[in-house]
PDB file of all heavy atoms in Angstrom:
ATOM      1  N   THR A   1     101.657 204.355  12.333  1.00  0.00           N
ATOM      2  CA  THR A   1     100.211 204.529  12.232  1.00  0.00           C
ATOM      3  C   THR A   1      99.503 203.387  12.930  1.00  0.00           C
ATOM      4  O   THR A   1     100.087 202.329  13.180  1.00  0.00           O
ATOM      5  CB  THR A   1      99.738 204.582  10.762  1.00  0.00           C
ATOM      6  OG1 THR A   1     100.126 203.363  10.110  1.00  0.00           O
ATOM      7  CG2 THR A   1     100.333 205.754  10.020  1.00  0.00           C
ATOM      8  N   TYR A   2      98.236 203.615  13.215  1.00  0.00           N
ATOM      9  CA  TYR A   2      97.433 202.589  13.875  1.00  0.00           C
ATOM     10  C   TYR A   2      95.990 202.769  13.440  1.00  0.00           C
ATOM     11  O   TYR A   2      95.516 203.898  13.338  1.00  0.00           O
ATOM     12  CB  TYR A   2      97.553 202.720  15.397  1.00  0.00           C
ATOM     13  CG  TYR A   2      96.890 201.604  16.159  1.00  0.00           C
ATOM     14  CD1 TYR A   2      97.430 200.316  16.137  1.00  0.00           C
ATOM     15  CD2 TYR A   2      95.732 201.824  16.895  1.00  0.00           C
ATOM     16  CE1 TYR A   2      96.818 199.293  16.833  1.00  0.00           C
ATOM     17  CE2 TYR A   2      95.121 200.800  17.582  1.00  0.00           C
ATOM     18  CZ  TYR A   2      95.665 199.538  17.548  1.00  0.00           C
ATOM     19  OH  TYR A   2      95.073 198.515  18.228  1.00  0.00           O
ATOM     20  N   TYR A   3      95.319 201.644  13.164  1.00  0.00           N
ATOM     21  CA  TYR A   3      93.955 201.708  12.640  1.00  0.00           C
ATOM     22  C   TYR A   3      92.997 200.841  13.453  1.00  0.00           C
ATOM     23  O   TYR A   3      93.380 199.797  13.990  1.00  0.00           O
ATOM     24  CB  TYR A   3      93.923 201.202  11.192  1.00  0.00           C
ATOM     25  CG  TYR A   3      94.681 202.041  10.215  1.00  0.00           C
ATOM     26  CD1 TYR A   3      96.018 201.782   9.927  1.00  0.00           C
ATOM     27  CD2 TYR A   3      94.069 203.103   9.558  1.00  0.00           C
ATOM     28  CE1 TYR A   3      96.727 202.550   9.017  1.00  0.00           C
ATOM     29  CE2 TYR A   3      94.762 203.878   8.644  1.00  0.00           C
ATOM     30  CZ  TYR A   3      96.085 203.592   8.378  1.00  0.00           C
ATOM     31  OH  TYR A   3      96.769 204.365   7.471  1.00  0.00           O
ATOM     32  N   ALA A   4      91.750 201.266  13.473  1.00  0.00           N
ATOM     33  CA  ALA A   4      90.702 200.408  14.000  1.00  0.00           C
ATOM     34  C   ALA A   4      90.497 199.254  13.017  1.00  0.00           C
ATOM     35  O   ALA A   4      90.648 199.426  11.805  1.00  0.00           O
ATOM     36  CB  ALA A   4      89.406 201.198  14.161  1.00  0.00           C
ATOM     37  N   ASP A   5      90.147 198.102  13.535  1.00  0.00           N
ATOM     38  CA  ASP A   5      89.950 196.936  12.667  1.00  0.00           C
ATOM     39  C   ASP A   5      88.875 197.194  11.608  1.00  0.00           C
ATOM     40  O   ASP A   5      88.956 196.681  10.497  1.00  0.00           O
ATOM     41  CB  ASP A   5      89.560 195.725  13.509  1.00  0.00           C
ATOM     42  CG  ASP A   5      90.718 195.192  14.324  1.00  0.00           C
ATOM     43  OD1 ASP A   5      91.881 195.517  14.008  1.00  0.00           O
ATOM     44  OD2 ASP A   5      90.465 194.442  15.285  1.00  0.00           O
ATOM     45  N   SER A   6      87.903 197.982  11.952  1.00  0.00           N
ATOM     46  CA  SER A   6      86.773 198.213  11.047  1.00  0.00           C
ATOM     47  C   SER A   6      87.160 198.990   9.785  1.00  0.00           C
ATOM     48  O   SER A   6      86.424 198.966   8.792  1.00  0.00           O
ATOM     49  CB  SER A   6      85.657 198.960  11.783  1.00  0.00           C
ATOM     50  OG  SER A   6      86.129 200.209  12.268  1.00  0.00           O
ATOM     51  N   VAL A   7      88.292 199.688   9.811  1.00  0.00           N
ATOM     52  CA  VAL A   7      88.690 200.499   8.651  1.00  0.00           C
ATOM     53  C   VAL A   7      90.009 200.033   8.043  1.00  0.00           C
ATOM     54  O   VAL A   7      90.414 200.539   6.986  1.00  0.00           O
ATOM     55  CB  VAL A   7      88.797 201.990   9.013  1.00  0.00           C
ATOM     56  CG1 VAL A   7      87.489 202.482   9.641  1.00  0.00           C
ATOM     57  CG2 VAL A   7      89.980 202.275   9.933  1.00  0.00           C
ATOM     58  N   LYS A   8      90.657 199.085   8.682  1.00  0.00           N
ATOM     59  CA  LYS A   8      91.965 198.624   8.210  1.00  0.00           C
ATOM     60  C   LYS A   8      91.843 198.079   6.789  1.00  0.00           C
ATOM     61  O   LYS A   8      90.948 197.303   6.477  1.00  0.00           O
ATOM     62  CB  LYS A   8      92.486 197.551   9.158  1.00  0.00           C
ATOM     63  CG  LYS A   8      93.973 197.324   9.109  1.00  0.00           C
ATOM     64  CD  LYS A   8      94.402 196.372  10.222  1.00  0.00           C
ATOM     65  CE  LYS A   8      94.186 196.951  11.594  1.00  0.00           C
ATOM     66  NZ  LYS A   8      94.651 196.055  12.675  1.00  0.00           N
ATOM     67  N   GLY A   9      92.742 198.529   5.918  1.00  0.00           N
ATOM     68  CA  GLY A   9      92.718 198.097   4.528  1.00  0.00           C
ATOM     69  C   GLY A   9      91.865 198.967   3.621  1.00  0.00           C
ATOM     70  O   GLY A   9      91.952 198.874   2.397  1.00  0.00           O
ATOM     71  N   ARG A  10      91.030 199.817   4.218  1.00  0.00           N
ATOM     72  CA  ARG A  10      90.171 200.708   3.424  1.00  0.00           C
ATOM     73  C   ARG A  10      90.556 202.179   3.609  1.00  0.00           C
ATOM     74  O   ARG A  10      90.471 202.965   2.666  1.00  0.00           O
ATOM     75  CB  ARG A  10      88.701 200.530   3.824  1.00  0.00           C
ATOM     76  CG  ARG A  10      88.147 199.143   3.589  1.00  0.00           C
ATOM     77  CD  ARG A  10      86.641 199.105   3.827  1.00  0.00           C
ATOM     78  NE  ARG A  10      86.281 199.438   5.199  1.00  0.00           N
ATOM     79  CZ  ARG A  10      85.456 200.426   5.530  1.00  0.00           C
ATOM     80  NH1 ARG A  10      84.910 201.189   4.601  1.00  0.00           N
ATOM     81  NH2 ARG A  10      85.176 200.653   6.810  1.00  0.00           N
ATOM     82  N   PHE A  11      90.966 202.533   4.812  1.00  0.00           N
ATOM     83  CA  PHE A  11      91.324 203.917   5.128  1.00  0.00           C
ATOM     84  C   PHE A  11      92.840 204.029   5.267  1.00  0.00           C
ATOM     85  O   PHE A  11      93.508 203.103   5.741  1.00  0.00           O
ATOM     86  CB  PHE A  11      90.688 204.360   6.439  1.00  0.00           C
ATOM     87  CG  PHE A  11      89.185 204.520   6.414  1.00  0.00           C
ATOM     88  CD1 PHE A  11      88.426 204.097   5.326  1.00  0.00           C
ATOM     89  CD2 PHE A  11      88.530 205.081   7.487  1.00  0.00           C
ATOM     90  CE1 PHE A  11      87.048 204.234   5.314  1.00  0.00           C
ATOM     91  CE2 PHE A  11      87.154 205.241   7.501  1.00  0.00           C
ATOM     92  CZ  PHE A  11      86.416 204.806   6.404  1.00  0.00           C
ATOM     93  N   THR A  12      93.358 205.201   4.888  1.00  0.00           N
ATOM     94  CA  THR A  12      94.787 205.479   5.041  1.00  0.00           C
ATOM     95  C   THR A  12      94.969 206.854   5.662  1.00  0.00           C
ATOM     96  O   THR A  12      94.450 207.849   5.145  1.00  0.00           O
ATOM     97  CB  THR A  12      95.506 205.446   3.687  1.00  0.00           C
ATOM     98  OG1 THR A  12      95.318 204.163   3.083  1.00  0.00           O
ATOM     99  CG2 THR A  12      96.996 205.691   3.871  1.00  0.00           C
ATOM    100  N   ILE A  13      95.694 206.880   6.759  1.00  0.00           N
ATOM    101  CA  ILE A  13      95.993 208.143   7.425  1.00  0.00           C
ATOM    102  C   ILE A  13      97.367 208.617   6.993  1.00  0.00           C
ATOM    103  O   ILE A  13      98.283 207.810   6.808  1.00  0.00           O
ATOM    104  CB  ILE A  13      95.905 207.987   8.962  1.00  0.00           C
ATOM    105  CG1 ILE A  13      95.956 209.347   9.659  1.00  0.00           C
ATOM    106  CG2 ILE A  13      96.984 207.049   9.489  1.00  0.00           C
ATOM    107  CD1 ILE A  13      95.635 209.264  11.155  1.00  0.00           C
ATOM    108  N   SER A  14      97.509 209.910   6.822  1.00  0.00           N
ATOM    109  CA  SER A  14      98.795 210.476   6.422  1.00  0.00           C
ATOM    110  C   SER A  14      98.881 211.910   6.932  1.00  0.00           C
ATOM    111  O   SER A  14      97.902 212.445   7.465  1.00  0.00           O
ATOM    112  CB  SER A  14      98.952 210.447   4.898  1.00  0.00           C
ATOM    113  OG  SER A  14      97.958 211.253   4.285  1.00  0.00           O
ATOM    114  N   ARG A  15     100.046 212.508   6.777  1.00  0.00           N
ATOM    115  CA  ARG A  15     100.214 213.891   7.203  1.00  0.00           C
ATOM    116  C   ARG A  15     101.271 214.580   6.370  1.00  0.00           C
ATOM    117  O   ARG A  15     102.180 213.924   5.855  1.00  0.00           O
ATOM    118  CB  ARG A  15     100.573 213.951   8.693  1.00  0.00           C
ATOM    119  CG  ARG A  15     101.928 213.400   9.050  1.00  0.00           C
ATOM    120  CD  ARG A  15     102.096 213.240  10.565  1.00  0.00           C
ATOM    121  NE  ARG A  15     101.974 214.503  11.265  1.00  0.00           N
ATOM    122  CZ  ARG A  15     101.801 214.598  12.589  1.00  0.00           C
ATOM    123  NH1 ARG A  15     101.711 213.499  13.319  1.00  0.00           N
ATOM    124  NH2 ARG A  15     101.716 215.774  13.168  1.00  0.00           N
ATOM    125  N   ASP A  16     101.125 215.884   6.270  1.00  0.00           N
ATOM    126  CA  ASP A  16     102.119 216.734   5.616  1.00  0.00           C
ATOM    127  C   ASP A  16     102.593 217.698   6.689  1.00  0.00           C
ATOM    128  O   ASP A  16     101.910 218.680   7.003  1.00  0.00           O
ATOM    129  CB  ASP A  16     101.486 217.480   4.442  1.00  0.00           C
ATOM    130  CG  ASP A  16     102.484 218.321   3.667  1.00  0.00           C
ATOM    131  OD1 ASP A  16     103.521 218.719   4.260  1.00  0.00           O
ATOM    132  OD2 ASP A  16     102.243 218.596   2.499  1.00  0.00           O
ATOM    133  N   ASN A  17     103.727 217.392   7.279  1.00  0.00           N
ATOM    134  CA  ASN A  17     104.202 218.181   8.415  1.00  0.00           C
ATOM    135  C   ASN A  17     104.527 219.624   8.023  1.00  0.00           C
ATOM    136  O   ASN A  17     104.394 220.540   8.840  1.00  0.00           O
ATOM    137  CB  ASN A  17     105.416 217.520   9.047  1.00  0.00           C
ATOM    138  CG  ASN A  17     105.050 216.219   9.754  1.00  0.00           C
ATOM    139  OD1 ASN A  17     103.895 216.015  10.127  1.00  0.00           O
ATOM    140  ND2 ASN A  17     106.022 215.339   9.925  1.00  0.00           N
ATOM    141  N   ALA A  18     104.925 219.826   6.784  1.00  0.00           N
ATOM    142  CA  ALA A  18     105.229 221.184   6.330  1.00  0.00           C
ATOM    143  C   ALA A  18     103.975 222.054   6.294  1.00  0.00           C
ATOM    144  O   ALA A  18     104.046 223.271   6.449  1.00  0.00           O
ATOM    145  CB  ALA A  18     105.876 221.140   4.950  1.00  0.00           C
ATOM    146  N   LYS A  19     102.830 221.411   6.091  1.00  0.00           N
ATOM    147  CA  LYS A  19     101.560 222.137   6.027  1.00  0.00           C
ATOM    148  C   LYS A  19     100.747 222.003   7.310  1.00  0.00           C
ATOM    149  O   LYS A  19      99.636 222.524   7.395  1.00  0.00           O
ATOM    150  CB  LYS A  19     100.718 221.629   4.849  1.00  0.00           C
ATOM    151  CG  LYS A  19     101.348 221.860   3.488  1.00  0.00           C
ATOM    152  CD  LYS A  19     100.442 221.347   2.385  1.00  0.00           C
ATOM    153  CE  LYS A  19     101.049 221.611   1.014  1.00  0.00           C
ATOM    154  NZ  LYS A  19     100.174 221.096  -0.089  1.00  0.00           N
ATOM    155  N   ASN A  20     101.278 221.296   8.302  1.00  0.00           N
ATOM    156  CA  ASN A  20     100.541 221.052   9.539  1.00  0.00           C
ATOM    157  C   ASN A  20      99.153 220.495   9.251  1.00  0.00           C
ATOM    158  O   ASN A  20      98.153 220.900   9.858  1.00  0.00           O
ATOM    159  CB  ASN A  20     100.419 222.337  10.367  1.00  0.00           C
ATOM    160  CG  ASN A  20     101.634 222.587  11.239  1.00  0.00           C
ATOM    161  OD1 ASN A  20     102.516 221.738  11.359  1.00  0.00           O
ATOM    162  ND2 ASN A  20     101.695 223.755  11.837  1.00  0.00           N
ATOM    163  N   THR A  21      99.095 219.559   8.336  1.00  0.00           N
ATOM    164  CA  THR A  21      97.811 219.006   7.915  1.00  0.00           C
ATOM    165  C   THR A  21      97.860 217.488   7.939  1.00  0.00           C
ATOM    166  O   THR A  21      98.840 216.878   7.515  1.00  0.00           O
ATOM    167  CB  THR A  21      97.448 219.491   6.503  1.00  0.00           C
ATOM    168  OG1 THR A  21      97.382 220.925   6.503  1.00  0.00           O
ATOM    169  CG2 THR A  21      96.102 218.944   6.071  1.00  0.00           C
ATOM    170  N   MET A  22      96.780 216.910   8.431  1.00  0.00           N
ATOM    171  CA  MET A  22      96.615 215.458   8.463  1.00  0.00           C
ATOM    172  C   MET A  22      95.485 215.094   7.519  1.00  0.00           C
ATOM    173  O   MET A  22      94.555 215.888   7.317  1.00  0.00           O
ATOM    174  CB  MET A  22      96.273 215.003   9.887  1.00  0.00           C
ATOM    175  CG  MET A  22      95.956 213.537  10.021  1.00  0.00           C
ATOM    176  SD  MET A  22      95.579 213.062  11.727  1.00  0.00           S
ATOM    177  CE  MET A  22      94.063 213.946  12.044  1.00  0.00           C
ATOM    178  N   TYR A  23      95.568 213.902   6.945  1.00  0.00           N
ATOM    179  CA  TYR A  23      94.574 213.456   5.982  1.00  0.00           C
ATOM    180  C   TYR A  23      94.025 212.086   6.369  1.00  0.00           C
ATOM    181  O   TYR A  23      94.692 211.304   7.051  1.00  0.00           O
ATOM    182  CB  TYR A  23      95.186 213.376   4.585  1.00  0.00           C
ATOM    183  CG  TYR A  23      95.826 214.648   4.122  1.00  0.00           C
ATOM    184  CD1 TYR A  23      97.199 214.842   4.250  1.00  0.00           C
ATOM    185  CD2 TYR A  23      95.064 215.669   3.574  1.00  0.00           C
ATOM    186  CE1 TYR A  23      97.803 216.015   3.832  1.00  0.00           C
ATOM    187  CE2 TYR A  23      95.654 216.856   3.158  1.00  0.00           C
ATOM    188  CZ  TYR A  23      97.015 217.022   3.287  1.00  0.00           C
ATOM    189  OH  TYR A  23      97.604 218.192   2.867  1.00  0.00           O
ATOM    190  N   LEU A  24      92.830 211.804   5.876  1.00  0.00           N
ATOM    191  CA  LEU A  24      92.268 210.465   5.977  1.00  0.00           C
ATOM    192  C   LEU A  24      91.657 210.117   4.627  1.00  0.00           C
ATOM    193  O   LEU A  24      90.620 210.664   4.257  1.00  0.00           O
ATOM    194  CB  LEU A  24      91.216 210.374   7.079  1.00  0.00           C
ATOM    195  CG  LEU A  24      90.670 208.968   7.331  1.00  0.00           C
ATOM    196  CD1 LEU A  24      91.772 208.073   7.938  1.00  0.00           C
ATOM    197  CD2 LEU A  24      89.461 208.996   8.255  1.00  0.00           C
ATOM    198  N   GLN A  25      92.342 209.256   3.898  1.00  0.00           N
ATOM    199  CA  GLN A  25      91.822 208.783   2.624  1.00  0.00           C
ATOM    200  C   GLN A  25      90.918 207.605   2.908  1.00  0.00           C
ATOM    201  O   GLN A  25      91.365 206.598   3.475  1.00  0.00           O
ATOM    202  CB  GLN A  25      92.968 208.370   1.694  1.00  0.00           C
ATOM    203  CG  GLN A  25      92.513 207.808   0.366  1.00  0.00           C
ATOM    204  CD  GLN A  25      91.816 208.842  -0.498  1.00  0.00           C
ATOM    205  OE1 GLN A  25      92.271 209.970  -0.614  1.00  0.00           O
ATOM    206  NE2 GLN A  25      90.718 208.448  -1.136  1.00  0.00           N
ATOM    207  N   MET A  26      89.666 207.715   2.518  1.00  0.00           N
ATOM    208  CA  MET A  26      88.676 206.685   2.801  1.00  0.00           C
ATOM    209  C   MET A  26      88.200 206.086   1.483  1.00  0.00           C
ATOM    210  O   MET A  26      87.574 206.772   0.680  1.00  0.00           O
ATOM    211  CB  MET A  26      87.497 207.281   3.577  1.00  0.00           C
ATOM    212  CG  MET A  26      87.911 207.999   4.850  1.00  0.00           C
ATOM    213  SD  MET A  26      86.512 208.559   5.822  1.00  0.00           S
ATOM    214  CE  MET A  26      85.817 209.780   4.733  1.00  0.00           C
ATOM    215  N   ASN A  27      88.512 204.822   1.286  1.00  0.00           N
ATOM    216  CA  ASN A  27      88.098 204.095   0.090  1.00  0.00           C
ATOM    217  C   ASN A  27      87.144 202.973   0.480  1.00  0.00           C
ATOM    218  O   ASN A  27      87.112 202.548   1.633  1.00  0.00           O
ATOM    219  CB  ASN A  27      89.316 203.504  -0.613  1.00  0.00           C
ATOM    220  CG  ASN A  27      90.292 204.563  -1.086  1.00  0.00           C
ATOM    221  OD1 ASN A  27      89.914 205.675  -1.442  1.00  0.00           O
ATOM    222  ND2 ASN A  27      91.579 204.209  -1.095  1.00  0.00           N
ATOM    223  N   GLY A  28      86.393 202.498  -0.491  1.00  0.00           N
ATOM    224  CA  GLY A  28      85.480 201.405  -0.209  1.00  0.00           C
ATOM    225  C   GLY A  28      84.490 201.732   0.893  1.00  0.00           C
ATOM    226  O   GLY A  28      84.198 200.892   1.747  1.00  0.00           O
ATOM    227  N   LEU A  29      83.949 202.944   0.851  1.00  0.00           N
ATOM    228  CA  LEU A  29      83.072 203.384   1.937  1.00  0.00           C
ATOM    229  C   LEU A  29      81.803 202.555   2.012  1.00  0.00           C
ATOM    230  O   LEU A  29      81.259 202.113   0.982  1.00  0.00           O
ATOM    231  CB  LEU A  29      82.737 204.860   1.760  1.00  0.00           C
ATOM    232  CG  LEU A  29      83.871 205.809   2.175  1.00  0.00           C
ATOM    233  CD1 LEU A  29      83.675 207.196   1.587  1.00  0.00           C
ATOM    234  CD2 LEU A  29      83.973 205.874   3.689  1.00  0.00           C
ATOM    235  N   LYS A  30      81.351 202.343   3.231  1.00  0.00           N
ATOM    236  CA  LYS A  30      80.151 201.564   3.521  1.00  0.00           C
ATOM    237  C   LYS A  30      79.146 202.443   4.259  1.00  0.00           C
ATOM    238  O   LYS A  30      79.539 203.404   4.921  1.00  0.00           O
ATOM    239  CB  LYS A  30      80.517 200.366   4.398  1.00  0.00           C
ATOM    240  CG  LYS A  30      81.603 199.481   3.841  1.00  0.00           C
ATOM    241  CD  LYS A  30      81.976 198.398   4.837  1.00  0.00           C
ATOM    242  CE  LYS A  30      83.088 197.512   4.323  1.00  0.00           C
ATOM    243  NZ  LYS A  30      83.461 196.460   5.303  1.00  0.00           N
ATOM    244  N   PRO A  31      77.869 202.116   4.190  1.00  0.00           N
ATOM    245  CA  PRO A  31      76.871 202.905   4.929  1.00  0.00           C
ATOM    246  C   PRO A  31      77.202 203.012   6.417  1.00  0.00           C
ATOM    247  O   PRO A  31      76.919 204.045   7.032  1.00  0.00           O
ATOM    248  CB  PRO A  31      75.587 202.132   4.688  1.00  0.00           C
ATOM    249  CG  PRO A  31      75.776 201.503   3.351  1.00  0.00           C
ATOM    250  CD  PRO A  31      77.221 201.120   3.320  1.00  0.00           C
ATOM    251  N   GLU A  32      77.805 201.984   6.981  1.00  0.00           N
ATOM    252  CA  GLU A  32      78.150 202.021   8.403  1.00  0.00           C
ATOM    253  C   GLU A  32      79.310 202.959   8.710  1.00  0.00           C
ATOM    254  O   GLU A  32      79.631 203.180   9.882  1.00  0.00           O
ATOM    255  CB  GLU A  32      78.465 200.612   8.929  1.00  0.00           C
ATOM    256  CG  GLU A  32      79.472 199.851   8.108  1.00  0.00           C
ATOM    257  CD  GLU A  32      78.809 198.899   7.114  1.00  0.00           C
ATOM    258  OE1 GLU A  32      77.826 199.308   6.459  1.00  0.00           O
ATOM    259  OE2 GLU A  32      79.291 197.746   6.996  1.00  0.00           O
TER     260      GLU A  32
END
C-alpha cells in the first residue's frame, strides 16, 4: 500500500479480492 502524507495514519486502504471490492477507512476526518 501507499498513502499520501496528508492521510497517513488516519486512512486505511484495503481490498477483498473475492468480492472485487476496495475500501477506504477514513478516521479522524478533518474539514480539509
Side-chain angles (χ1 to χ4, degrees):
T1 59
Y2 187 70
Y3 295 91
D5 288 342
S6 59
V7 305
K8 201 172 295 182
R10 298 188 298 123
F11 291 9
T12 302
I13 191 170
S14 63
R15 68 191 299 165
D16 183 335
N17 291 338
K19 297 181 178 179
N20 275 352
T21 301
M22 175 179 66
Y23 305 97
L24 185 68
Q25 178 66 44
M26 305 185 294
N27 298 328
L29 283 162
K30 305 175 181 179
E32 51 263 44

